[in-house]
């Protein structure tokens, strides 16, 4: 399965349109169980608009999705039921029991999956890093831990850019060694992944 990393919608009208191709990254089939099975980068915080396209992609791989749970701290409205392809997916929520940055999907046939939910407003480079980290079959971090690490890396990157801007403004750009490795880990990742169930 491939994941699409694209820039967030630029107009308010784009925000209201349902996503036709969800931005999704999944761990490879057959990999050892990790805390997360991948990541989903919705275009909005509207579950009713976003879930149909997500389930349309996942159901051929994982079986019919019957229930979804979220933490309501990240979703302004949590509908009890979402119409999906002529049927209903039940939606529940857990405030204390579920990681705020995680979506839990349940299927009668295969089991359950935990996806990191990348916030819709996340910059594409940070989203790519998060999606790659969440779909790494060797991953041992929770969704919230990955969000904290992404924020830390973003802070380091921004600080590094500020130092470089000062350096460049003082005439230091010409003397900088072009072969020197970057001081901050890059926030990119490959997002070609296959699904797996538990």
């Amino acid at each position: 399965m491939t994941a699409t990393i694209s820039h967030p919608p630029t107009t308010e009208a784009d925000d209201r349109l349902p996503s036709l191709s969800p931005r999704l990254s999944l761990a490879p089939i057959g990999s050892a169980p990790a805390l997360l099975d991948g990541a989903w980068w919705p275009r909005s915080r509207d579950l009713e608009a976003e879930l149909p396209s997500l389930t349309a992609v996942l159901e051929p791989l994982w079986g019919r999705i019957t229930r979804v749970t979220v933490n309501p701290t990240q979703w302004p409205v949590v509908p009890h039921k979402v119409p999906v392809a002529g049927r209903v997916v039940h939606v529940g929520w857990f405030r204390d029991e579920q990681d705020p940055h995680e979506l839990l999907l349940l299927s009668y046939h295969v089991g359950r999956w935990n996806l990191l939910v990348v916030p819709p407003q996340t910059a594409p480079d940070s989203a790519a890093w998060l999606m790659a980290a969440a779909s790494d079959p060797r991953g041992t971090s929770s969704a919230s831990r990955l969000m904290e690490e992404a924020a830390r890396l973003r802070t380091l990157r921004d600080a590094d850019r500020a130092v470089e801007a000062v350096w460049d403004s003082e005439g230091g750009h010409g003397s900088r060694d072009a072969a020197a490795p970057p001081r901050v880990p890059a926030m990119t990742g490959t997002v070609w992944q296959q699904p797996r169930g538990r």
Side-chain angles (χ1 to χ4, degrees):
M1 158 148 294
T2 61
T4 304
I5 302 293
S6 62
H7 294 281
T10 56
T11 67
E12 187 176 317
D14 290 338
D15 289 336
R16 291 189 300 257
L17 294 175
S19 165
L20 296 178
S21 61
R23 300 176 293 188
L24 185 64
S25 177
L26 303 172
I29 292 176
S31 57
L35 288 180
L36 296 169
D37 298 297
W40 174 44
W41 186 20
R43 288 172 173 81
S44 73
R45 289 288 187 185
D46 182 349
L47 278 171
E48 199 160 1
E50 297 287 342
L51 280 178
S53 62
L54 178 65
T55 59
V57 170
L58 293 178
E59 286 185 349
L61 306 167
W62 291 350
R64 180 180 259 188
I65 305 297
T66 57
R67 185 170 297 277
V68 172
T69 66
V70 298
N71 186 312
T73 60
Q74 299 295 320
W75 301 93
V77 175
V78 180
H80 294 289
K81 298 176 182 178
V82 174
V84 172
R87 62 184 183 81
V88 170
V89 171
H90 296 273
V91 181
W93 58 269
F94 297 97
R95 187 175 306 276
D96 297 328
E97 298 87 355
Q98 187 167 341
D99 188 307
H101 300 286
E102 194 171 284
L103 176 82
L104 173 67
L105 300 118
L106 299 163
S107 166
Y108 284 135
H109 300 291
V110 184
R112 69 169 226 205
W113 299 271
N114 296 38
L115 296 178
L116 164 72
V117 178
V118 178
Q121 71 280 5
T122 303
D125 60 340
S126 292
W129 184 89
L130 284 162
M131 293 178 81
S135 59
D136 183 347
R138 299 162 296 170
T140 58
S141 294
S142 68
S144 285
R145 181 72 186 121
L146 287 177
M147 293 297 294
E148 290 167 6
E149 181 66 10
R152 186 186 72 77
L153 291 173
R154 193 169 43 253
T155 300
L156 289 173
R157 183 193 62 211
D158 292 346
D160 193 48
R161 285 183 181 164
V163 168
E164 286 178 8
V166 170
W167 178 256
D168 289 347
S169 71
E170 294 175 350
H173 183 71
S175 64
R176 185 173 173 208
D177 181 6
R183 293 183 295 224
V184 178
M187 293 183 75
T188 60
T190 305
V191 290
W192 295 84
Q193 304 292 331
Q194 292 294 321
R196 66 179 169 79
R198 290 193 177 152

